[in-house]
Amino acid sequence: MTAMLCPVWRDTVAAGLGPCVVTLGVFDGVHRGHARLIGEAVGIGRARGLPTVLVTFDPHPARVVGPPRCTDALSSVERRAELAGELGVDAVCVLSFTRELAGMSPLDFVARILAGRLRAAAVVVGGNFTFGHRGEGTPETLRRLGRDYGFTTHPVDLLPLVSSTHVRSCLRAGDVAGAARALGRPHRVEGVLADGRLRVEPGTALPAPGVYRGRLTCGDEVLVEVDAEGVAVRTSRTGATGLDFLSG
Ligand SMILES: Cc1cc2nc3c(=O)[nH]c(=O)nc-3n(C[C@H](O)[C@H](O)[C@H](O)COP(=O)(O)O)c2cc1C
Ligand SMILES: Nc1ncnc2c1ncn2[C@@H]1O[C@H](COP(=O)(O)OP(=O)(O)OP(=O)(O)O)[C@@H](O)[C@H]1O
């Protein structure tokens, strides 16, 4: 499939952005639950004739605040934007998740960012979404504040058993088929091939050590071995590529 062009804005929005539909969250991996949320946002945008903006956080909030947990990346921000674009999103806005952002109250976040910067006319979140200092804001908080700040709030029922955490634990167990079921497509890692090894960004979510069948972006099916050092790929190709994990 050809990648849809989806602009990525970092801590800013396009000049002259008018009212828009916003969907909010980390969206790591853009799994089937995220796709449900994005579908709802895009549907509202089309019905109202407004652009849809996906707002995401980088780095993962759990790397900055809260109890430590695995945040190995299922996707880069650029890959998230590519997948969101394929689902009809018009632009991705990346908010740097700093301690300063983490300290903002739900009211400040709504007033300064959602209403002030993004001019949100509608906000779509999953039923379990939290935001603001100590994660005190909920979809109900958004609904209440939205009445004052001029946006509607649309909480979406969670697709059961699908989360980025679940995909990460499938991968840790070497269950690339389970990861693909939750994602709606095979898990992809991106990197640079040289001398039969794929160099990936530190912090990339890899399946457990073992041998897998994979497919490079060029279409070649390849044997892949994940080991303590990283990823060995049986190919003579070199250069930047994606690698989809097809089966274990
Ligand atoms: C303005 C703002 C402040 C936040 N402050 C905290 C915080 O103090 N502690 C915390 O654990 N998470 C905090 N978060 C993270 C959220 O609870 C949540 O993880 C994040 O919005 C991503 O939502 P999602 O996990 O549903 O994608 C904050 C988020 C936002 C947007
Ligand atoms: N299964 C799901 N169905 C529908 N919406 C979801 C689902 N999982 C998450 N969302 C929503 O998608 C947005 C992004 O959520 P987030 O990236 O935290 O997903 P997550 O899969 O729960 O991640 P993690 O497992 O790392 O906490 C949030 O608004 C969240 O409520």
Side-chain angles (χ1 to χ4, degrees):
M1 186 186 291
T2 319
M4 301 289 139
L5 280 182
C6 184
V8 176
W9 305 325
R10 287 188 183 264
D11 293 312
T12 183
V13 298
L17 175 75
C20 61
V21 179
V22 170
T23 184
L24 266 176
V26 180
F27 293 102
D28 190 16
V30 193
H31 56 58
R32 289 193 300 116
H34 295 149
R36 172 185 278 196
L37 205 68
I38 292 170
E40 173 78 10
V42 168
I44 295 170
R46 291 196 176 140
R48 297 197 197 173
L50 297 176
T52 301
V53 179
L54 181 148
V55 175
T56 185
F57 305 104
D58 188 43
H60 195 298
R63 288 198 188 171
V64 181
V65 283
R69 64 178 175 106
C70 175
T71 55
D72 285 352
L74 301 172
S75 57
S76 63
V77 164
E78 290 69 27
R79 174 74 175 144
R80 269 179 250 173
E82 181 183 332
L83 292 164
E86 285 169 5
L87 294 169
V89 165
D90 296 292
V92 168
C93 175
V94 185
L95 298 179
S96 298
F97 198 86
T98 57
R99 290 202 160 270
E100 192 198 343
L101 186 79
M104 282 174 88
S105 67
L107 172 62
D108 272 357
F109 181 74
V110 165
R112 285 163 53 186
I113 296 187
L114 283 184
R117 213 186 290 173
L118 288 152
R119 303 184 57 201
V123 177
V124 180
V125 291
N128 66 348
F129 178 72
T130 58
F131 71 106
H133 191 43
R134 295 178 198 274
E136 281 162 354
T138 62
E140 186 44 43
T141 317
L142 281 174
R143 197 191 291 280
R144 190 165 40 76
L145 292 172
R147 287 193 206 109
D148 294 336
Y149 285 90
F151 59 82
T152 53
T153 301
H154 307 261
V156 170
D157 288 343
L158 295 186
L159 190 66
L161 304 176
V162 174
S163 68
S164 305
T165 302
H166 170 72
V167 177
R168 289 187 197 103
S169 64
C170 287
L171 293 173
R172 276 198 303 276
D175 178 11
V176 295
R181 275 196 297 279
L183 288 168
R185 80 193 91 79
H187 173 56
R188 173 174 297 185
V189 297
E190 292 173 309
V192 179
L193 265 175
D195 300 325
R197 295 202 71 90
L198 183 72
R199 268 183 289 122
V200 301
E201 285 291 315
T204 297
L206 292 173
V211 177
Y212 300 89
R213 217 162 46 78
R215 185 168 47 225
L216 302 175
T217 313
C218 64
D220 288 2
E221 294 217 357
V222 287
L223 264 188
V224 181
E225 184 169 1
V226 178
D227 57 29
E229 312 297 311
V231 186
V233 184
R234 234 180 261 166
T235 180
S236 55
R237 289 192 187 269
T238 57
T241 185
L243 167 65
D244 289 344
F245 284 88
L246 302 179
S247 62

